[in-house]
Amino acid sequence: MSRSALKLRSWPLTILYYLLPFAALRPLVRVGWRPTSRVAIYKSVPTRLLSRAWGRLNQVELPTWLRKPVYSLYIWTFGVNMKEAAVEDLHQYRNLSEFFRRKLKPQARPVCDSHSVISPSDGKILHFGRVKNCEVEQVKGVTYSLESFLGPQTWTDNLSVTKSEFVRSFQDQLVTQEGNELYHCVIYLAPGDYHCFHSPTDWNVYHRRHFPGSLMSVNPGVARWIKELFCYNERVVLTGSWKHGFFSLTAVGATNVGSIRIYFDRDLQTNSPRYSKGSHNDMSYITNNNQDGIVMRKGDQLGEFNLGSTIVLIFEAPKNFTFNLKAGQKIHFGEAVGSL
C-alpha cells in the first residue's frame, strides 16, 4: 500500500485507532498514516444542533406519574438540594426545562453587604486574579486571549475612557482610571447547580455582544484539554461600568445549554440557526432618552442558563482589591468574591 494512500485520515480508521489497542494499527502509523486528533474529532461534533434537539426535548411535558422518578434520578446523580427550591414538589415541574430553571427560596441565598463584588451564581471557582499579558486563564495553566473573548472594543464609545497615544494593548484600553488593574474570575456551573445568575455588583450595563459559536462542554476536564475553549463557545458579553471603571459579565454557553437568557433583553436569541459562527451581534442599551443604560443593583436577577455553564467576570479595580476566594472552592450566589 502506498504512503499517499495511507495518508487518508479516514474517520473509520481514526475511531478504530482510539478504540482498539495501539498495536493493532501500528503498521499503518509506521508508513505515514496519522489519526485525526481527539480535539479535532470533538470540535467536529454538531454540538449546536444536538443542543437545539436537547432543548426541544426539555420542553416536552412529562406525564405526572413520570415526573418524580425522572427528577429524582437527576437529583441523585447531580446532588441537587431540593430543600432550597421555592417549589419542592417535583410534580409541579411540567418538563425538564422548568426543573433546570427552578427558583430558590428568598432566604436560601443571602446577599453579602460587606463586599463590593459577590458571586453572581452558584458554582465552582476555576480561576481568579489579575489579568496579565492580555490573557485570561480558563483553568490553571490554560489561557485564552482577552481580545478574542470580548471582541472588538467598540463599547468604549459609551465609557469615559481616557484616550492616549501611548496605549499599547487591548488590556490597557479597558482600564479607564489611572492606577487601576484588570481582574478576572471564572465560575463553573455544574448540572446540579442553581442555573439563574444575578448582578455581582452595583453597575450600569451599556452594551451586549452575542457571539454565536460552538457549544462544547465547559467541564474543567475539557477546559484543560482545549485551549481558548471559551472563545470557541457561544457567549453573551455584557459590558458597562461600576464605581471603579470598566466591568463585564460574560455568560458562556456549553453543550445542551443552547439557551442563555438575559431578562431585560427580549431581542437576544442564542443558539439560533439564523446566526453563523465567527460573527457577533451588538446591542447598545444607551439611547438618547436613557444615558445610564441598564441600572443593576447587587443581587438583582440578571439571567439564566438551561443546564450548566460558566460565568466570567472581567473588571477593573484599584490595586488594593483583594479576592476572598480559593481556587476550586464551591461558592453560592450572594457570597463574597472580593472587595477593597
Side-chain angles (χ1 to χ4, degrees):
M1 189 179 292
S2 68
R3 182 182 295 265
S4 59
L6 287 168
K7 286 186 176 180
L8 289 174
R9 300 200 176 190
S10 61
W11 282 88
L13 283 177
T14 295
I15 293 171
L16 287 174
Y17 178 83
Y18 290 120
L19 292 180
L20 297 177
F22 175 74
L25 294 181
R26 184 174 292 173
L28 295 181
V29 175
R30 286 176 177 171
V31 295
W33 177 78
R34 292 293 182 271
T36 305
S37 72
R38 291 180 176 89
V39 173
I41 292 173
Y42 184 56
K43 286 181 179 179
S44 68
V45 174
T47 52
R48 297 183 76 190
L49 181 61
L50 292 174
S51 294
R52 289 186 202 120
W54 177 254
R56 291 179 181 177
L57 180 62
N58 284 354
Q59 298 292 335
V60 175
E61 185 169 340
L62 296 176
T64 304
W65 63 268
L66 188 58
R67 295 174 188 177
K68 187 171 182 178
V70 169
Y71 301 146
S72 295
L73 177 61
Y74 188 92
I75 291 168
W76 178 80
T77 303
F78 296 109
V80 178
N81 184 1
M82 285 303 295
K83 292 183 179 179
E84 297 176 334
V87 178
E88 295 186 45
D89 183 5
L90 299 181
H91 295 101
Q92 298 301 312
Y93 297 99
R94 294 173 298 176
N95 51 50
L96 285 166
S97 181
E98 286 189 359
F99 180 73
F100 294 150
R101 297 181 288 105
R102 63 192 177 278
K103 306 299 182 183
L104 299 182
K105 295 172 182 174
Q107 67 273 21
R109 296 289 184 272
V111 174
C112 177
D113 292 327
S114 59
H115 287 70
S116 54
V117 182
I118 62 168
S119 177
S121 67
D122 289 5
K124 178 182 180 181
I125 301 296
L126 293 189
H127 206 272
F128 63 92
R130 292 186 181 182
V131 177
K132 299 177 181 179
N133 302 320
C134 294
E135 290 190 330
V136 184
E137 291 200 63
Q138 58 191 26
V139 292
K140 187 174 182 180
V142 181
T143 63
Y144 55 94
S145 162
L146 182 65
E147 185 170 3
S148 296
F149 182 68
L150 296 178
Q153 193 185 7
T154 57
W155 63 78
T156 50
D157 296 339
N158 301 319
L159 302 177
S160 56
V161 180
T162 302
K163 301 293 183 181
S164 172
E165 59 180 320
F166 301 106
V167 171
R168 295 181 178 178
S169 70
F170 184 86
Q171 177 178 335
D172 292 336
Q173 293 176 53
L174 294 179
V175 178
T176 65
Q177 298 181 22
E178 186 175 354
N180 281 358
E181 297 279 354
L182 202 63
Y183 298 86
H184 79 284
C185 179
V186 183
I187 305 169
Y188 166 68
L189 288 74
D193 286 328
Y194 168 58
H195 300 120
C196 298
F197 51 93
H198 300 247
S199 176
T201 192
D202 296 336
W203 64 310
N204 293 55
V205 185
Y206 297 140
H207 184 271
R208 178 260 288 166
R209 174 166 289 155
H210 169 218
F211 288 88
S214 299
L215 288 169
M216 293 182 283
S217 172
V218 291
N219 181 282
V222 178
R224 293 186 186 95
W225 189 34
I226 301 178
K227 182 178 173 63
E228 297 210 333
L229 170 63
F230 293 166
C231 296
Y232 289 121
N233 270 17
E234 182 145 6
R235 59 198 181 278
V236 176
V237 182
L238 300 178
T239 55
S241 66
W242 70 319
K243 60 183 177 182
H244 300 297
F246 173 78
F247 199 98
S248 73
L249 179 150
T250 302
V252 183
T255 307
N256 299 333
V257 191
S259 173
I260 302 172
R261 182 183 175 194
I262 303 298
Y263 293 140
F264 55 72
D265 191 339
R266 295 183 178 180
D267 294 327
L268 176 65
Q269 292 184 347
T270 58
N271 194 18
S272 170
R274 63 184 291 194
Y275 299 121
S276 59
K277 295 181 184 180
S279 63
H280 65 263
N281 311 289
D282 289 358
M283 165 72 77
S284 175
Y285 299 126
I286 292 181
T287 64
N288 292 333
N289 298 323
N290 179 20
Q291 294 295 309
D292 294 329
I294 306 297
V295 179
M296 301 297 298
R297 294 289 173 254
K298 185 170 62 175
D300 285 353
Q301 291 187 345
L302 186 52
E304 62 187 36
F305 292 110
N306 275 329
L307 210 58
S309 197
T310 297
I311 295 283
V312 179
L313 303 179
I314 299 174
F315 57 94
E316 71 171 293
K319 294 181 178 180
N320 61 341
F321 181 88
T322 56
F323 284 97
N324 187 41
L325 300 172
K326 293 181 180 179
Q329 79 171 71
K330 182 73 177 177
I331 197 167
H332 292 106
F333 155 59
E335 293 179 346
V337 165
S339 193
L340 299 170

